[in-house]
Amino acid sequence: MVDVLLGLQWGDEGKGKIVDYLAKNYDIIARFQGGPNAGHTLYVKDKKVVLHTIPSGVFHGHIQNIIGNGVVLDPVTFKKECEEIESYGVDLKKNLFISQKTHIIIPTHRALDKASENAKGSAKIGSTLKGIGPAYMDKTGRNGIRVGDLLAPDFHAKYDALKEKHFQLLKQYDVVEDITEWEKEFFASLDKLRSMNIINAEYWLDDKLKQNKKILAEGAQGSMLDVDFGTYPYVTSSNTTVAGVCSGLGISAKYIDRVIGITKAYCTRVGGGPFPTELHDEVGEQLRATGNEFGATTGRPRRCGWIDLVALRYACMISGVDTLIMTKADVLNEFEWINVCTSYKVNGLETTEFPYNVCDAEIEPQYTEMRGWRRSLDDTKDLLTMPAELIKLIDVIENHTKARVKFVSNGVGRDQIVPI
Ligand code: GDP
Ligand code: IMO
Ligand code: MG
């Protein structure tokens, strides 16, 4: 069976920590979309590690990890990540597998990302500039290079042809990018990738499923960044919702069991685009400072706001989320009052539907004000020891989303999590 774990907001919900925590219940952790735009933080022996492409189960000896065909992989980031993980004594040759069909990001993808963003002016998406959009464009445009191609004798010819195509595109942006250094790094990183277990992943996974192995599919980004259902065009270039799992791993939908969604107790977004509950005042500042809301991949300050149950309900609906995990509850410890957005006024009309025209409409979030718990959650071990105000907040979330909150995370540490 396959359980799926998804971020339900605009990313950075704490997926890395939660996958690391849940990993003990699984045999395999699988990444099915996204790429080095992701930054999943976890702690190993009290040291912070940020994973970009490699699944967050990699520090558990018994677990196998797989990078699926739906991921776009940058060999340069990948090599650095491997070296950091290997410095902890992890044997990646034993526990990491990569689909031959995973597309790779080449240096000119990054150059195109930058040129495309610059050309957008004030309508910038705020991309991580890791080459994600251009790499997925080449995938669907049928020009891409896949990990399996690295092993073929015509790899260099394929690379040169794609690079040439990209240079032509860059000319249209009036950009001449010197990629000498990027290219050096790129070619120096390829042998690392070639030395890994590059496999026919669909057959490998089918075999595991037939052996009744338990798989956790680890989402990257969040539902509101989904290319179809997010706040388009301010989104990433993959399906971050449950639909991405089958196409990003090559497994049948009939194997999907639980869909677990992660939400922060408030909301953040990094980069451009609509964010109805964003706070531009000192409350937003307080959330950023207390929650240490700075990007794990780019270091950019994250925009902060109240939890948005209109967006959350929508995200749960799209993916059929049955289990919720709330992270960063501890960040609200000091707040006397907490706001929860339960509906929007869109151009003056009240609705609980997430609107199509979210980028253009005037959206006024309608809030329910709730009392905060004003104490540390360090001693909260279960529902009995949980502050009544937090239980109330959970009730409101469950009522709106119709999903059950099963865990509340109350700190960055591996064991700072409360089952309920
Ligand atoms: P991901 O992309 O969803 O894996 O999330 P990130 O790693 O980008 O960002 C989440 C940040 O919140 C990381 O710095 C985590 O260490 C931190 N974090 C996760 N859960 C909690 C929590 O319950 N409380 C606090 N204070 N921090 C948390
Ligand atoms: P994790 O997995 C938060 C955002 C970028 C930008 C938009 C498009 O750590 O939750 P892209 O690089 O894909 O072209 O950027 O999406 N974005 C993320 N925001 N967390 C992420 O990943 C993100 N990955 C992309 O900031 O607004
Ligand atoms: Mg992140």
Side-chain angles (χ1 to χ4, degrees):
M1 277 304 192
V2 181
D3 288 347
V4 179
L5 182 133
L6 303 168
L8 298 178
Q9 299 168 311
W10 282 277
D12 303 327
E13 297 87 352
K15 297 175 290 292
K17 172 189 157 153
I18 301 299
V19 172
D20 180 46
Y21 173 78
L22 294 177
K24 56 183 179 295
N25 306 320
Y26 295 92
D27 302 298
I28 296 162
I29 310 289
R31 272 283 304 270
F32 58 92
Q33 48 71 228
N37 48 352
H40 296 182
T41 312
L42 43 95
Y43 283 81
V44 188
K45 297 177 192 144
D46 291 331
K47 268 192 80 181
K48 178 172 162 173
V49 180
V50 180
L51 298 174
H52 301 286
T53 317
I54 295 177
S56 304
V58 77
F59 291 101
H60 297 256
H62 76 282
I63 290 177
Q64 295 183 309
N65 297 271
I66 179 163
I67 297 173
N69 58 281
V71 170
V72 285
L73 184 151
D74 179 342
V76 178
T77 326
F78 177 76
K79 178 169 180 273
K80 288 186 189 144
E81 214 172 317
C82 287
E83 286 165 355
E84 185 180 359
I85 295 167
E86 284 167 342
S87 75
Y88 287 87
V90 174
D91 185 357
L92 288 175
K93 295 249 170 68
K94 243 172 69 188
N95 73 357
L96 181 65
F97 300 82
I98 304 167
S99 167
Q100 315 172 89
K101 296 194 173 83
T102 303
H103 280 250
I104 62 172
I105 298 175
I106 70 170
T108 39
H109 282 134
R110 280 159 62 187
L112 278 170
D113 217 358
K114 191 166 126 194
S116 158
E117 272 288 79
N118 284 340
K120 282 185 197 285
S122 63
K124 275 190 190 23
I125 290 169
S127 165
T128 59
L129 303 180
K130 303 289 178 190
I132 305 293
Y136 277 116
M137 278 165 70
D138 274 335
K139 174 180 175 171
T140 50
R142 295 155 299 178
N143 295 311
I145 299 178
R146 303 187 288 179
V147 169
D149 297 332
L150 286 173
L151 310 171
D154 65 345
F155 167 69
H156 275 271
K158 274 195 173 138
Y159 173 84
D160 287 338
L162 190 56
K163 180 171 92 171
E164 191 44 46
K165 194 169 274 171
H166 291 165
F167 275 142
Q168 295 304 323
L169 285 169
L170 285 167
K171 262 190 208 157
Q172 289 174 25
Y173 285 112
D174 227 2
V175 169
V176 182
E177 184 80 59
D178 180 4
I179 61 157
T180 322
E181 284 308 309
W182 287 357
E183 217 172 26
K184 253 193 224 155
E185 262 193 311
F186 176 77
F187 281 105
S189 68
L190 293 182
D191 279 343
K192 183 74 184 173
L193 184 50
R194 286 192 185 103
S195 75
M196 292 284 149
N197 298 302
I198 296 171
I199 59 165
N200 209 353
E202 306 85 274
Y203 286 98
W204 188 87
L205 282 166
D206 187 55
D207 223 38
K208 301 290 178 189
L209 286 163
K210 285 182 175 141
Q211 293 168 38
N212 282 325
K213 298 284 186 202
K214 289 201 73 182
I215 300 175
L216 180 66
E218 172 182 359
Q221 289 81 53
S223 305
M224 304 316 289
L225 288 170
D226 183 282
V227 66
D228 284 284
F229 303 109
T231 48
Y232 192 88
Y234 297 92
V235 292
T236 190
S237 300
S238 62
N239 282 118
T240 59
T241 44
V242 76
V245 175
C246 295
S247 61
L249 292 175
I251 55 157
S252 162
K254 74 180 182 194
Y255 287 115
I256 294 181
D257 190 17
R258 280 203 310 163
V259 183
I260 306 163
I262 308 191
T263 172
K264 286 181 189 178
Y266 51 97
C267 218
T268 64
R269 172 164 204 164
V270 58
F275 180 1
T277 60
E278 181 171 12
L279 292 163
H280 297 281
D281 56 10
E282 64 281 3
V283 182
E285 290 289 342
Q286 193 184 344
L287 286 171
R288 185 175 310 113
T290 316
N292 193 21
E293 294 296 356
F294 296 89
T297 298
T298 58
R300 292 177 292 178
R302 294 177 183 144
R303 299 156 63 191
C304 297
W306 296 118
I307 193 166
D308 179 345
L309 297 187
V310 177
L312 192 66
R313 190 171 80 105
Y314 177 65
C316 287
M317 177 184 83
I318 296 291
S319 292
V321 172
D322 42 58
T323 303
L324 280 174
I325 299 179
M326 186 210 276
T327 55
K328 305 196 95 161
D330 54 297
V331 174
L332 300 181
N333 285 353
E334 302 298 321
F335 285 74
E336 190 166 357
W337 296 99
I338 294 161
N339 275 338
V340 176
C341 168
T342 46
S343 64
Y344 294 161
K345 265 194 183 158
V346 181
N347 298 333
L349 289 175
E350 187 153 353
T351 180
T352 54
E353 255 186 38
F354 196 79
Y356 169 76
N357 55 346
V358 62
C359 296
D360 313 312
E362 199 176 301
I363 299 185
E364 286 173 72
Q366 307 297 299
Y367 291 111
T368 300
E369 195 177 49
M370 303 188 67
R371 197 173 273 284
W373 42 93
R374 305 214 63 195
R375 67 168 163 100
S376 159
L377 296 177
D378 287 349
D379 297 327
T380 302
K381 301 290 172 223
D382 50 24
L383 208 53
L384 284 176
T385 48
M386 189 172 279
E389 295 84 356
L390 176 52
I391 296 176
K392 240 187 195 156
L393 173 63
I394 291 170
D395 277 349
V396 172
I397 293 173
E398 289 186 337
N399 281 337
H400 275 78
T401 60
K402 306 294 173 220
R404 271 289 320 279
V405 177
K406 294 259 175 79
F407 293 95
V408 175
S409 171
N410 59 347
V412 296
R414 257 184 167 175
D415 302 317
Q416 286 180 293
I417 188 154
V418 183
I420 53 174

